[in-house]
Amino acid sequence: AGLGFSGGVMMYVSFAEIFPESRTLFEHHGLKPAMAYFWATFCVFAGMLLLRMMAFVVHLLDKDEVHEGQAPHEIEAAKNGANENNETTENTPADAEAGKVEERALSPRREAKHLKTIGLQTALAIAIHNVPEGLAGYVGTLNDPSVGITLSVAI
């Protein structure tokens, strides 16, 4: 519920505050109102496309994880260790029948490397998430402090 509320606030701020301000700035720089509206709309959809491409790249980099939007048969195949041809790769039929599939324990060295990788991925995700918000807040405040304050509260 909290994520839905946050998403709604961000959408409201984007369309009630930032979009009209963007259109006004395009007009201020000499574009006709129709072209200013076109470029402001283009920027919204370009941002959507950029985020979708980022999600695709993240999915490629993290193939072993189950992601929202995956088909149920893909999730089940990932859980059962099946490859693209639905052939079992790790579990034997005896393991499946017994219902006992033991997870392989990582050596301390591999576990440390795995934790370091997770830490770096987390740091990268936080940076990717916060840099655009910081830039938006900075640029919004430079132009109009009320937009910057509204944006900062929404973020």
Side-chain angles (χ1 to χ4, degrees), residues 46-67:
M48 289 179 186
L49 179 64
L50 177 66
L51 290 175
R52 191 66 198 139
M53 289 178 1
M54 286 174 58
F56 179 75
V57 169
V58 167
H59 183 69
L60 286 177
L61 294 175
D62 197 14
K63 294 178 183 178
D64 297 334
E65 295 295 321
V66 175
H67 298 277

Side-chain angles (χ1 to χ4, degrees), residues 88-111:
T88 303
T89 56
E90 293 181 16
N91 307 336
T92 64
D95 290 336
E97 287 176 16
K100 296 180 182 179
V101 178
E102 297 180 20
E103 294 185 24
R104 295 180 182 168
L106 295 177
S107 69
R109 188 177 204 175
R110 287 187 67 199
E111 186 174 351

Side-chain angles (χ1 to χ4, degrees), residues 81-154:
N83 62 17
E84 294 173 359
N85 299 325
N86 287 332
E87 298 169 350
T88 303
T89 56
E90 293 181 16
N91 307 336
T92 64
D95 290 336
E97 287 176 16
K100 296 180 182 179
V101 178
E102 297 180 20
E103 294 185 24
R104 295 180 182 168
L106 295 177
S107 69
R109 188 177 204 175
R110 287 187 67 199
E111 186 174 351
K113 184 178 179 183
H114 181 69
L115 288 175
K116 185 177 179 181
T117 302
I118 289 173
L120 290 173
Q121 289 174 347
T122 303
L124 180 63
I126 291 170
I128 289 171
H129 177 81
N130 287 336
V131 168
E133 289 179 350
L135 286 173
Y138 175 73
V139 171
T141 303
L142 279 180
N143 188 42
D144 184 3
S146 67
V147 171
I149 290 170
T150 305
L151 185 59
S152 296
V153 169

